[in-house]
């Protein structure tokens, strides 16, 4: 294959961490898949299946599951961080306690931390000392774990402050089924990946109410404008939002039954309660937490984000979902072209 074969740790044995482990294993790398759950690790090593998150997908022989963080990361140059946003700080703190050399951390989660309003790469920078951190690389884009694990064609993007290292990570993951582009806009890639989950919740609510494709198309389009407004205010390149980390990720998350954010919104639209939905899904729904952070950012930076603001009321203030969507569709008239010009000239 002409690739440099590495030993790589993937921290987080959920659906996405497992799917990316399969990509790396297909490329010949030796993958150490870490989970804090010892029973899950034992079952994966015995059955070669991650029954909880990717049932019926056989794990390649290059993947070995570990529950010991030190053993799973010992001597490695590359660590993929595939835990939910809320667990990032905790896992990185544990990680810095066992590392003995500099590593490159590839984070693949999509979210923003409420209160601090930090992107994930900023959270990692805060927690990991420079003496142990070679680079942070972000991998994002339109990619459902279920389809990646089946080797369906998928295209993603990697970004970093160290683009030479981003290109190395590009080579580690690239194969005929998993195409990887580079983009130097780390702010735009992380913001696009995080905020699309908010719009997916809204699109799911619209579908749950039975409003059809016209309403969902409007939410997706106006949602993209909302993401771009905040992103450019934070210093992102507006063109990033027309690419994989922007419109690409937005489309797949707003339209697929694989999307936990869409499914959560869909159930909300059908009248279920948020607490019941989250318990039923049993996995992180990043858009819920990110909605809190994005609302705080909209207020801090004085950016118009009507979908985010009204979705916050649905999630945390018991606003009726039908009232919320109806309000969004009957907002004060404005000029679409003026809005786009404002984004491009922010």
């Amino acid at each position: 294959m002409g690739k440099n074969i590495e030993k790589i740790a993937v921290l987080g044995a959920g659906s996405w961490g497992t799917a990316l482990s399969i990509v790396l294993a297909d490329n010949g790398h030796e993958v150490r898949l870490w989970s804090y759950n010892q029973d899950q690790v034992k079952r994966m090593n015995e059955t070669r299946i991650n029954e909880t998150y990717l049932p019926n997908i056989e794990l390649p022989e290059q993947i070995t599951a570990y529950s010991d963080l030190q053993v799973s990361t010992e001597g490695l140059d590359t660590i993929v961080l595939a835990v939910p946003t809320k667990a990032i700080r905790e896992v990185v703190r544990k990680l810095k306690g066992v590392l003995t050399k500099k590593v490159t951390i590839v984070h693949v989660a999509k979210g923003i931390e409420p209160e601090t309003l930090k992107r994930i790469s900023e959270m990692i920078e805060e927690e990991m000392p420079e003496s142990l951190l070679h680079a942070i690389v972000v991998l994002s884009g339109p990619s459902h774990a279920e389809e990646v694990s089946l080797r369906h064609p998928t295209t993603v993007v990697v970004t970093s402050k160290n683009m030479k290292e981003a290109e190395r990570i590009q080579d580690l993951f690239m194969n005929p089924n998993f195409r990887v582009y580079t983009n130097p806009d780390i702010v735009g890639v992380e913001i696009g990946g995080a905020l699309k989950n908010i719009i997916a919740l809204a699109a799911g609510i619209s579908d749950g109410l039975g409003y059809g494709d016209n309403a969902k198309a409007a939410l997706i389009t106006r949602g993209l404008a909302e993401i771009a407004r905040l992103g450019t205010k934070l210093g992102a390149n507006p063109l990033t939002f027309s690419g994989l980390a922007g419109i690409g990720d937005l489309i797949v998350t707003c339209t697929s039954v694989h999307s936990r954010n869409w499914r959560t919104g869909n159930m909300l639209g059908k009248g279920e309660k948020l607490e019941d939905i989250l318990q039923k899904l049993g996995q992180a729904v990043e858009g819920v937490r990110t909605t809190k952070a994005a609302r705080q950012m909209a207020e801090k930076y004085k950016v118009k984000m009507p979908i985010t603001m009204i979705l916050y009321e649905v999630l945390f203030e018991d606003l009726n979902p039908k009232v919320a969507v109806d309000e969004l569709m009957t907002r004060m008239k404005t000029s679409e072209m003026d809005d786009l010009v404002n984004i491009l000239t922010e």
Side-chain angles (χ1 to χ4, degrees):
M1 277 188 294
K3 286 180 176 286
N4 291 324
I5 302 305
E6 284 195 26
K7 296 178 180 178
I8 301 167
V10 177
L11 308 185
S15 56
W16 192 216
T18 305
L20 290 174
S21 296
I22 291 170
V23 174
L24 292 167
D26 285 348
N27 289 347
H29 303 297
E30 179 186 314
V31 182
R32 302 175 183 179
L33 179 57
W34 174 83
S35 170
Y36 69 89
N37 187 324
Q38 293 184 3
D39 290 338
Q40 182 191 22
V41 167
K42 185 172 183 291
R43 287 196 304 272
M44 284 194 291
N45 286 331
E46 288 176 351
T47 66
R48 309 305 303 161
I49 292 173
N50 188 344
E51 190 64 44
T52 304
Y53 295 103
L54 285 178
N56 307 317
I57 301 295
E58 185 174 350
L59 301 179
E61 63 181 17
Q62 291 91 342
I63 298 174
T64 304
Y66 291 80
S67 58
D68 187 312
L69 187 61
Q70 182 169 2
V71 173
S72 67
T73 58
E74 192 169 12
L76 305 190
D77 296 317
T78 307
I79 295 173
V80 178
L81 194 55
V83 298
T85 305
K86 66 180 181 181
I88 291 287
R89 289 191 187 272
E90 179 188 356
V91 173
V92 173
R93 285 169 188 158
K94 290 179 179 177
L95 185 59
K96 72 181 178 185
V98 301
L99 291 179
T100 58
K101 56 178 284 192
K102 282 192 173 187
V103 297
T104 290
I105 294 178
V106 184
H107 92 66
V108 300
K110 298 172 181 178
I112 298 168
E113 188 174 43
E115 307 307 330
T116 70
L117 309 185
K118 299 286 187 182
R119 306 188 318 275
I120 295 172
S121 64
E122 295 175 311
M123 295 162 62
I124 297 170
E125 283 178 338
E126 281 190 353
E127 297 294 342
M128 184 66 71
E130 287 185 20
S131 60
L132 294 174
L133 187 60
H134 178 52
I136 299 169
V137 176
V138 182
L139 185 150
S140 190
S143 47
H144 288 308
E146 294 83 356
E147 295 181 8
V148 170
S149 67
L150 291 169
R151 282 80 169 181
H152 290 175
T154 300
T155 308
V156 297
V157 63
V158 289
T159 183
S160 177
K161 293 179 181 177
N162 181 341
M163 287 307 294
K164 183 176 180 181
E165 195 63 5
E167 289 169 4
R168 184 181 74 82
I169 299 304
Q170 177 186 32
D171 289 339
L172 288 183
F173 280 95
M174 179 86 86
N175 67 34
N177 304 316
F178 198 79
R179 184 165 181 80
V180 186
Y181 286 85
T182 59
N183 182 333
D185 180 15
I186 190 169
V187 175
V189 169
E190 287 192 286
I191 289 295
L195 298 191
K196 55 89 183 182
N197 287 326
I198 299 172
I199 310 306
L201 283 165
I205 289 173
S206 179
D207 283 337
L209 290 167
Y211 280 178
D213 295 337
N214 295 350
K216 184 161 65 175
L219 281 169
I220 292 172
T221 307
R222 299 312 304 158
L224 182 63
E226 192 161 310
I227 293 168
R229 273 198 299 272
L230 180 60
T232 52
K233 188 76 171 181
L234 296 172
N237 183 336
L239 292 177
T240 295
F241 302 110
S242 66
L244 291 167
I247 188 65
D249 210 356
L250 188 61
I251 290 170
V252 80
T253 312
C254 289
T255 61
S256 174
V257 294
H258 293 313
S259 166
R260 289 193 293 273
N261 292 281
W262 178 89
R263 282 155 55 199
T264 298
N266 189 254
M267 288 186 271
L268 284 169
K270 291 177 178 176
E272 295 188 44
K273 295 297 183 183
L274 180 61
E275 314 83 68
D276 298 335
I277 296 168
L278 296 178
Q279 187 172 6
K280 184 184 298 184
L281 291 176
Q283 298 184 54
V285 180
E286 293 281 20
V288 174
R289 195 165 182 261
T290 302
T291 300
K292 285 185 179 179
R295 180 176 181 267
Q296 292 168 351
M297 294 175 93
E299 292 174 343
K300 178 178 179 178
Y301 295 104
K302 296 179 172 52
V303 175
K304 289 189 299 180
M305 300 184 71
I307 298 174
T308 298
M309 303 303 274
I310 206 157
L311 183 62
Y312 180 91
E313 294 183 46
V314 173
L315 295 176
F316 304 110
E317 297 178 354
D318 291 325
L319 179 65
N320 183 287
K322 184 179 187 304
V323 172
V325 175
D326 289 349
E327 274 190 38
L328 282 172
M329 301 303 286
T330 56
R331 283 183 69 239
M332 186 186 305
K333 64 182 181 180
T334 186
S335 167
E336 182 178 46
M337 288 302 107
D338 286 349
D339 200 19
L340 294 174
V341 168
N342 289 339
I343 292 168
L344 293 170
T345 58
E346 186 69 53

